[in-house]
Amino acid sequence: TDKKNKDKKALTIIAPTIASKTYDGLTAAGALTIGALSGFVGTETVTATGSAVALTSANVGTYTTSVNYTLADVAGASGGMASNYSLAANTGVQAIVTQKGLTITGVAASNKVYDGTTVATLTGGALSGVANSETTAVINFTAGTGAFDNKNVGNAIAVTASGFGLTGSGMSNYTLAAQPIIATAAITATPTPAAIRIRRCSAGSCGRTSAGSRRGATSAPTSCRSATWRCGPSCAGSTASTSCRRRKP
């Protein structure tokens, strides 16, 4: 009888294992480790390689799959023996896909003028580590807030981010590994307002003294009651001099 038509001897194999894998957007299972073969006739031997069937989904979760085997000859006295043996697939092999950790880069804190608070304004940011070139509709981040280490004026003040998160239809496949790392920023002193300019008011000549002299700018306004200048209540129509103060610095 043709050797190819002979009944093959079935081998057994210790159950294989599939290592957990981090989400990568693909349905391939994790790394496969196969067990030792047994059931050979005498001292005969062959080798086996295995391959796991693709998972039913690429998403994070726990799956069961099958492992198929291919037998191959070895060199020496057992050469050509692979065709005499068979090895059935293993079914119900567990495969786990875990979340992929992401980071957010490029977030910056703006310098600010002292306002008595530690609030920092943050701008920018992009996700790093997204699998399989997935779009922002699938995975994106939600902005958080920033806080200076202290509220006082200074340079290179540490800024801490908090409240950043993930969003998108595929967010369950990811986790945010850490809040963004922010470069230092500065808090500058509040500018000193310009001094208010004062002129003398007198009856009939708002912004000038009765002698025609003036203080402040080199020319007096035509009316102390304009949008720019304001006189005391006794200025208009009064013989007594009073102050004329500018509305704006």
Side-chain angles (χ1 to χ4, degrees), residues 104 107 120 122 127 140-147 159-167 171 176-182:
I104 301 174
V107 179
L122 303 181
L127 283 175
N140 204 349
F141 73 92
T142 55
T145 58
V159 177
T160 301
S162 62
F164 281 77
L166 299 177
T167 186
M171 63 179 290
L176 188 60
Q179 293 292 301
I181 297 174
I182 314 296

Side-chain angles (χ1 to χ4, degrees), residues 120-162:
T121 299
L122 303 181
T123 59
L127 283 175
S128 177
V130 173
N132 208 26
S133 301
E134 291 183 333
T135 67
T136 54
V138 176
I139 184 65
N140 204 349
F141 73 92
T142 55
T145 58
F148 283 94
D149 186 56
N150 67 77
K151 68 178 183 178
N152 300 320
V153 170
N155 295 314
I157 303 174
V159 177
T160 301
S162 62

Side-chain angles (χ1 to χ4, degrees), residues 62-153:
T62 299
Y63 301 87
T64 56
T65 188
S66 299
V67 175
N68 296 318
Y69 298 100
T70 301
L71 298 177
D73 293 322
V74 296
S78 293
M81 296 297 174
S83 60
N84 295 325
Y85 294 95
S86 65
L87 182 59
N90 282 115
T91 59
V93 183
Q94 180 174 277
I96 297 174
V97 181
T98 60
Q99 290 179 314
K100 191 175 196 304
L102 301 179
T103 57
I104 301 174
T105 61
V107 179
S110 302
N111 297 333
K112 74 169 186 175
V113 175
Y114 174 77
D115 61 5
T117 75
T118 59
V119 174
T121 299
L122 303 181
T123 59
L127 283 175
S128 177
V130 173
N132 208 26
S133 301
E134 291 183 333
T135 67
T136 54
V138 176
I139 184 65
N140 204 349
F141 73 92
T142 55
T145 58
F148 283 94
D149 186 56
N150 67 77
K151 68 178 183 178
N152 300 320
V153 170

Side-chain angles (χ1 to χ4, degrees), residues 37-56:
L37 291 168
S38 61
F40 294 106
V41 173
T43 59
E44 294 179 351
T45 186
V46 298
T47 61
T49 56
S51 61
V53 175
L55 307 181
T56 56

